[in-house]
């Protein structure tokens, strides 16, 4: 088997630096050097180094035709040649090999011993129409090697060519090794960075987006995408994230994933590799997708999939697949944890809502009060620019602010008329009772203060402790206002709801004594009519706060 | 027990270096080839105890190489193991026909290769006794 001409040319072209080094060494020794490919064609221009050679060459006395024949024969049978030509030129030719195959010939030549013979010089000068004296002078400078020298040069040239080739190969290997090492480092660092960035409070979309960006860069893809199935399906929708340039829209990626890839994933032992991708059902949509790797995000159920599109300048190989599998597995761990976290969070919220619903159930007139206070408190906290974590804390405190009423007799709670002092004292116990009920739950520690102090006033006339000013926690000031606002604007057992103007003027009147003026300012800056209307609507989702997400505003 | 001779064939220098070094350090005699044809010649002339070959190589793929080995008496019984970046392209029937005993997909850990080599040599040794 032989290299084709184009492939030998390419191989020789890659060896160019080596020929330059050889040429330099030859020149130092007063030798001319030329390179021939396996077809017997000269590679590059032949430019004689020494003046003598150049003169003879330009006068047409060069021996290129003979050298070509010699190069061709060396390329053919691989045996080196050392000979003197009739034109006076001495030639040494050795083969160049790549992967043990001859890809060309290196030829060195120089003016041979014949040129020392005056008669020979005179004859050649006549043939070439050159000046005898000038040429003789040039010859004396460069000439003098005989056939024996020629044969001595042969092993030297073979040795140099061999060494240069070894150097060339070593350089190439080093380059390949470095490239591979750098790729390996990138892959490793990708895995490190993904496992390092798995914070359970991150949203799955943000996590997968970051994963796709990294995957695209490290694997040299035009695009990477992730499809995430809804969890739980009834409440949420499937999502798609894409990084990079992809001719498909999110919906098209979803279609591709569900109709084409998923059945293959199921059939294909959990990974799909398509180096000649075709989308049978939608050839026009799929035409810009050359190749694809897909791995499932597989927990107990299929959570979704990761997709790699169009690896640049190569097919996907097992290295890519292992990497994708590993990233898929890591992502699955994250998603599973995230879902567990969300489930726990939902469970907690569900339990808390159920708990507060028991209070509201005791008094149908206050039905929904806890929930409304929670929502108003949350809005106030948000509007005051508090961080997400704190907003959630205030929401929870708002939700459970009346939980202590479970310890207040129903006869007192639902009494339509005026309360006696004893009855009022019983009512005043509910913030303390609430704090006590929830006091055993470590995770709700931050919520307690808001519950315990929601009936305290800035002027110190509140209960149960009668603290004043800055001693009243901000959470409690927010919830206290939300509580009174909702109490005044809804019907109660002992009175109808006050008109909005009356509520507003009451709030304004008590600003600074009962309420924190800063919080009042935020409340009164809203469209309160719209707020009341909205609060009457049944809640769209059961839990307006799901998880304190970092990337949530 | 004499030192086992292993031929490693791969056109990628880094794989060749990594695998050879690991196995040489483990006490094996290692010979190397950079293409399928050279590997075939060395299998005939050197009769290694085990062949570890890449799938995609110039002149002759690892699969062709193994198929060729099975055609000659001298090389028929040389156990073969394949290291490949295209594991998904080889059909089980092809592997069976070329008597490839194991396939490791790149990237593999050198320890994994050594372990597999020891396993294969132990199995083959046991069968021959």
């Amino acid at each position: 088997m032989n290299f084709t001409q184009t492939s030998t040319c390419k191989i020789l072209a890659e060896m160019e630096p080596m020929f330059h080094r050889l040429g330099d060494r030859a020149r130092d020794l007063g030798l001319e050097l030329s390179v021939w490919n396996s077809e017997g064609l000269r590679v590059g221009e032949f430019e004689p180094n020494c003046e003598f050679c150049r003169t003879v060459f330009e006068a047409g006395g060069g021996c290129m035709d003979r050298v070509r024949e010699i190069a061709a024969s060396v390329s053919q049978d691989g045996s080196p040649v050392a000979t003197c030509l009739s034109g006076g030129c001495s030639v040494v030719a050795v083969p160049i090999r790549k992967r043990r195959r001859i890809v060309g010939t290196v030829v060195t030549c120089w003016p041979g011993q014949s040129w020392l013979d005056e008669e020979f010089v005179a004859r050649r000068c006549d043939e070439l129409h050159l000046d005898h004296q000038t040429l003789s002078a040039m010859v004396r400078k460069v000439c003098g090697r005989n056939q024996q020298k020629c044969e001595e040069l042969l092993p030297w040239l073979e040795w140099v060519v061999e060494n240069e080739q070894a150097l060339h190969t070593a350089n190439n290997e080093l380059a390949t090794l470095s490239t591979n090492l750098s790729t390996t480092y990138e892959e490793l660092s990708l895995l490190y960075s993904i496992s390092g960035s798995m914070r359970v409070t991150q949203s799955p979309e943000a996590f997968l987006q970051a994963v796709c960006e990294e995957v695209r860069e490290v694997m040299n893809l035009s695009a990477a995408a992730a499809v995430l199935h809804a969890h739980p399906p009834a409440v949420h929708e499937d999502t798609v994230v894409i990084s990079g340039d992809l001719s498909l829209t999110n919906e098209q990626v979803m279609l591709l994933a569900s109709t084409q890839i998923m059945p293959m994933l199921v059939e294909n032992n959990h990974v799909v590799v398509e180096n000649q991708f075709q989308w049978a059902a939608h050839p026009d949509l799929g035409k810009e997708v050359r190749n694809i790797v897909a791995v499932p995000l597989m927990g107990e159920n299929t959570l979704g999939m990761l997709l790699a599109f169009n690896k640049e300048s190569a097919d996907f190989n097992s290295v890519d697949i292992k990497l994708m599998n590993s990233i898929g597995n890591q992502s699955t761990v994250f998603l599973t944890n995230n879902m567990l976290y969300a489930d726990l969070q939902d469970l907690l919220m569900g339990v808390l809502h159920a708990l507060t619903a028991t209070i509201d159930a005791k008094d149908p007139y206050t039905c929904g009060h806890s929930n409304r206070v929670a929502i108003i408190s949350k809005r106030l906290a948000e509007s005051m620019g508090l961080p997400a974590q704190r907003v959630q804390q205030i929401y929870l405190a708002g939700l459970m602010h009346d939980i202590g009423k479970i310890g207040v007799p129903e006869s007192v709670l639902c009494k339509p008329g005026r309360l006696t002092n004893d009855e009022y004292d019983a009512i005043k116990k509910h913030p303390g009772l609430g704090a006590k009920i929830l006091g055993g739950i470590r995770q709700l520690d931050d919520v307690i203060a808001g519950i315990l102090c929601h009936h305290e006033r800035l002027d110190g006339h509140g209960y149960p402790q009668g603290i004043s000013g800055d001693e009243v926690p901000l959470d409690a000031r927010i919830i206290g206002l939300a509580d009174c606002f909702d109490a005044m604007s809804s019907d109660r057992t002992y009175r109808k709801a006050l008109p909005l103007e009356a509520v507003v003027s009451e709030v304004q009147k008590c600003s600074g004594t009962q309420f924190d003026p800063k919080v009042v300012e935020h409340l009164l800056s809203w469209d309160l009519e719209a707020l009341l209307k909205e609060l009457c609507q049944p809640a769209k989702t059961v839990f307006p706060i799901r998880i304190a997400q970092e990337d949530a505003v | 027990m004499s030192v086992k001779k292993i031929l490693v064939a791969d056109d990628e220098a880094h794989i060749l270096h990594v695998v050879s070094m690991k196995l040489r350090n483990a006490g094996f005699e290692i010979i190397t080839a950079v293409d399928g044809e050279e590997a075939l010649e060395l299998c005939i002339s050197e009769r290694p105890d085990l062949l570890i070959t890449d799938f995609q190589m110039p002149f002759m793929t690892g699969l062709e190489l193994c198929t060729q080995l099975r055609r000659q008496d001298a090389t028929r019984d040389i156990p073969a193991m394949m290291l490949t970046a295209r594991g998904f392209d080889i059909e089980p029937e092809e592997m069976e026909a070329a008597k490839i005993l194991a396939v490791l997909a790149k990237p593999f850990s050198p320890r994994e290769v050594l372990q597999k080599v020891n396993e294969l040599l132990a199995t083959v040794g046991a069968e021959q006794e």
Side-chain angles (χ1 to χ4, degrees), chain A residues 120-181:
Chain A
F120 178 82
V121 176
R123 184 156 50 79
R124 291 294 279 149
C125 282
D126 286 349
E127 282 166 16
L128 302 170
H129 310 290
L130 291 169
D131 178 57
H132 187 171
Q133 267 187 336
T134 328
L135 202 65
S136 289
M138 287 178 187
V139 162
R140 273 193 293 277
K141 275 194 232 162
V142 293
C143 205
R145 293 184 182 85
N146 54 24
Q147 174 65 28
Q148 193 195 336
K149 284 254 165 28
C150 185
E151 273 160 16
E152 282 167 10
L153 263 177
L154 182 66
W156 172 85
L157 185 65
E158 278 187 298
W159 179 72
V160 171
V161 169
E162 218 169 82
N163 274 1
E164 283 296 341
Q165 276 193 271
L167 183 64
H168 172 75
T169 313
N171 280 343
N172 278 353
E173 281 187 11
L174 189 62
T176 325
L177 277 172
S178 307
T179 315
N180 274 297
L181 194 59

Side-chain angles (χ1 to χ4, degrees), chain A residues 264-502:
Chain A
M264 290 163 80
L265 277 177
V266 172
E267 190 183 311
N268 254 18
N269 204 13
H270 305 324
V271 57
V272 167
V273 188
E274 289 284 314
N275 276 317
Q276 270 94 41
F277 176 75
Q278 271 175 349
W279 192 353
H282 302 273
D284 48 326
L285 285 181
K287 69 174 184 282
E288 286 186 35
V289 177
R290 279 194 332 277
N291 49 28
I292 253 186
V293 169
V295 292
L297 301 171
M298 189 77 90
E300 272 178 34
N301 304 308
T302 309
L303 311 176
M305 68 174 77
L306 277 184
L307 296 148
F309 292 99
N310 294 344
K311 187 180 164 82
E312 273 154 32
S313 71
D315 282 353
F316 284 110
N317 59 33
S318 64
V319 178
D320 301 315
I321 291 156
K322 283 197 176 181
L323 191 62
M324 282 289 280
N325 257 327
S326 168
I327 293 164
N329 290 340
Q330 289 200 35
S331 303
T332 303
V333 170
F334 167 82
L335 293 171
T336 312
N337 285 344
N338 188 274
M339 282 171 187
L340 281 177
Y341 185 68
D343 280 347
L344 272 181
Q345 202 70 14
D346 283 355
L347 178 65
L348 172 71
M349 293 305 291
V351 169
L352 296 181
H353 273 269
L355 208 53
T356 52
T358 58
I359 306 301
D360 291 356
K362 283 181 94 172
D363 179 359
Y365 270 97
T366 64
C367 179
H369 170 69
S370 299
N371 208 25
R372 290 194 299 272
V373 171
I375 291 170
I376 299 168
S377 303
K378 173 178 171 259
R379 296 266 176 93
L380 283 169
E382 281 168 349
S383 144
M384 295 173 75
L386 299 179
Q389 186 77 28
R390 189 79 185 281
V391 171
Q392 190 197 16
Q393 177 184 318
I394 291 170
Y395 172 81
L396 290 179
L399 187 65
M400 292 177 293
H401 73 283
D402 274 348
I403 201 84
K405 284 191 176 166
I406 208 148
V408 178
E410 216 161 317
S411 57
V412 178
L413 275 185
C414 303
K415 185 176 174 184
R418 214 179 154 75
L419 296 175
T420 66
N421 279 351
D422 284 352
E423 285 166 342
Y424 192 45
D425 284 345
I427 289 275
K428 281 186 188 170
K429 282 186 184 150
H430 83 268
L433 280 174
K436 212 185 250 176
I437 289 171
L438 298 174
I441 306 175
R442 179 174 52 81
Q443 288 83 347
L444 294 180
D445 279 353
D446 297 336
V447 174
I448 304 281
I451 295 170
L452 180 64
C453 304
H454 75 274
H455 279 295
E456 302 287 0
R457 299 165 47 118
L458 281 198
D459 58 12
H461 290 118
Y463 62 87
Q465 294 162 291
I467 51 178
S468 62
D470 286 346
E471 288 173 328
V472 183
L474 179 62
D475 297 21
R477 284 182 251 163
I478 291 173
I479 295 159
L481 176 61
D483 186 18
C484 288
F485 176 80
D486 182 68
M488 289 188 281
S489 50
S490 39
D491 294 336
R492 284 291 154 110
T493 38
Y494 44 89
R495 58 153 173 77
K496 295 291 283 178
L498 300 181
L500 185 56
E501 302 78 54

